[in-house]
Amino acid sequence: MTRDELQGKIVAILVDEFEFEDPGLTDNLRDDHGFDSIDAIELLAKIEDMLGYQISRKEKEQAMSIRTISDILDYIETIQTAHSS
């Protein structure tokens, strides 16, 4: 998946499932949209569904530094690269 395709899918998930309004790539998910740790767990499950494989515990721990949609995209690209090797 290209970064643009990933962005479209992630933004759609955030709008449809988490009721974000006009999310920007650099918005702070917590401060600007009230995203909490339970939301993060749910989002990781949706990312796993989207990718078609389970994310390892180590990869899930790496998600703790995510703050923006751009961070999510970087994170997914890193996971995709690791799983394609």
Side-chain angles (χ1 to χ4, degrees):
M1 238 181 291
T2 67
R3 189 171 178 97
D4 287 339
E5 291 170 329
L6 285 174
Q7 180 179 329
K9 289 181 182 235
I10 292 299
V11 168
I13 289 169
L14 293 173
V15 169
D16 296 340
E17 303 290 330
F18 298 97
E19 301 177 358
F20 280 30
E21 292 185 22
D22 299 318
L25 292 179
T26 58
D27 291 358
N28 184 296
L29 299 173
R30 181 179 308 226
D31 296 342
D32 297 334
H33 299 284
F35 204 73
D36 61 24
S37 58
I38 293 173
D39 293 329
I41 292 167
E42 291 177 21
L43 178 60
L44 283 174
K46 293 189 182 307
I47 289 171
E48 286 177 329
D49 290 343
M50 183 179 70
L51 295 175
Y53 50 82
Q54 288 206 326
I55 299 170
S56 72
R57 181 176 179 88
K58 181 180 177 184
E59 290 167 334
K60 287 179 181 176
E61 289 171 0
Q62 293 169 342
M64 301 307 285
S65 64
I66 291 173
R67 299 289 177 258
T68 68
I69 295 172
S70 287
D71 292 344
I72 294 170
L73 300 175
D74 293 343
Y75 172 75
I76 293 171
E77 287 178 329
T78 299
I79 290 172
Q80 285 182 313
T81 300
H83 283 260
S84 68
S85 302

